[in-house]
Amino acid sequence: MSEAKKVKLLEALLCIVPFEGWSDAALTEAGTNCDLSSQDVSILFPRGITDVLRFYNQQLDHQVMENLEKNGAVDMKVRDRITLAVRTKLELMTPDREAIRKGVSFFTMPLKATEGMHNVYDTVDAMWLAAGDTSTDYNFYSKRLLLAGVYSSTLLFWLDDCSEDFEKTWSFLDRRIAEVLKIGGALGKTIGKVSALANKFQVCVPFSKKSP
């Protein structure tokens, strides 16, 4: 029940944000439009706008995962899966692009930057899981770090893209994915060599106990 109320409140808020921004006043107005008291709104989103944006991002990520599953992403190459995931997320946000723009501005505030990073991590983690990633070693973190850079830069490019059907954005995304694959490959080889060298060193020069 509370989930449905959250969705309804978010939808009402998205109609207000392009004009008033992501503010407590806008959230209160949206609550009034949904016949919710300020106490009701506080129960649904204890941290106010910060929680609303986290919820909004999670809703979008869930839709991305569903869309990838419907489109048979499992049968695609990893590069195509990730590209589709990023593109799908941006396409889902297109109807509310101005609200997204104001959301990006919201997270540039010093006290909100960490929350913005949490949202980005949620997104790239969901994308890799939807793409079938099962890594548990250093690759788990390096993949998400590299994709965070791709997603963030593509998002900013998309916000200012005026080309038809965002053609320039999709070209930009393809270039960034290609660059990251090269970096990721080089990074993996480097870490692999370092790990192998460390293991070899431990075998050849075992630690000895200090004499009393």
Side-chain angles (χ1 to χ4, degrees):
M1 189 65 177
S2 60
E3 184 82 3
K5 288 183 178 179
K6 284 184 177 181
V7 171
K8 183 178 179 180
L9 180 56
L10 173 61
E11 291 175 348
L13 183 57
L14 285 171
C15 295
I16 301 171
V17 167
F19 308 100
E20 299 184 22
W22 294 94
S23 64
D24 291 334
L27 181 56
T28 299
E29 182 179 342
T32 300
N33 294 341
C34 295
D35 296 323
L36 296 172
S37 67
S38 57
Q39 184 177 4
D40 292 331
V41 173
S42 295
I43 292 174
L44 292 173
F45 298 111
R47 296 186 301 162
I49 292 298
T50 299
D51 280 347
V52 175
L53 284 168
R54 191 74 180 271
F55 176 73
Y56 181 32
N57 191 60
Q58 291 172 342
Q59 290 290 103
L60 289 169
D61 289 339
H62 182 67
Q63 291 179 58
V64 170
M65 296 184 76
E66 286 186 335
N67 286 351
L68 260 64
E69 185 176 348
K70 290 178 181 178
N71 289 320
V74 176
D75 299 322
M76 300 178 183
K77 294 181 180 179
V78 173
R79 170 177 179 162
D80 295 333
R81 294 180 211 166
I82 293 301
T83 301
L84 178 60
V86 176
R87 177 164 179 163
T88 299
K89 178 73 177 281
L90 295 179
E91 289 176 337
L92 288 171
M93 294 190 294
T94 297
D96 301 305
R97 192 158 71 138
E98 189 55 37
I100 297 299
R101 189 191 309 280
K102 292 185 182 299
V104 171
S105 297
F106 178 85
F107 286 124
T108 59
M109 293 189 290
L111 296 179
K112 301 299 181 181
T114 300
E115 291 296 333
M117 293 173 62
H118 286 166
N119 282 353
V120 171
Y121 177 80
D122 286 347
T123 290
V124 297
D125 185 49
M127 287 180 177
W128 273 116
L129 291 176
D133 178 51
T134 57
S135 60
T136 56
D137 56 3
Y138 66 86
N139 279 310
F140 178 92
Y141 301 102
S142 62
K143 285 178 178 179
R144 282 151 182 77
L145 178 62
L146 292 171
L147 183 54
V150 171
Y151 172 70
S152 298
S153 60
T154 306
L155 171 62
L156 294 176
F157 188 96
W158 169 77
L159 285 172
D160 292 327
D161 186 8
C162 297
S163 64
E164 185 175 359
D165 296 326
F166 302 109
E167 292 179 357
K168 291 184 179 180
T169 294
W170 312 139
S171 295
F172 178 85
L173 174 60
D174 287 339
R175 293 195 300 272
R176 293 292 288 117
I177 291 291
E179 291 169 2
V180 161
L181 287 176
K182 291 181 181 179
I183 295 173
L187 180 63
K189 290 179 181 179
T190 299
I191 295 178
K193 289 179 181 178
V194 171
S195 298
L197 183 61
N199 292 333
K200 182 177 180 181
F201 180 77
Q202 290 179 359
V203 171
C204 296
V205 188
F207 290 102
S208 59
K209 296 182 179 180
K210 292 183 179 180
S211 56

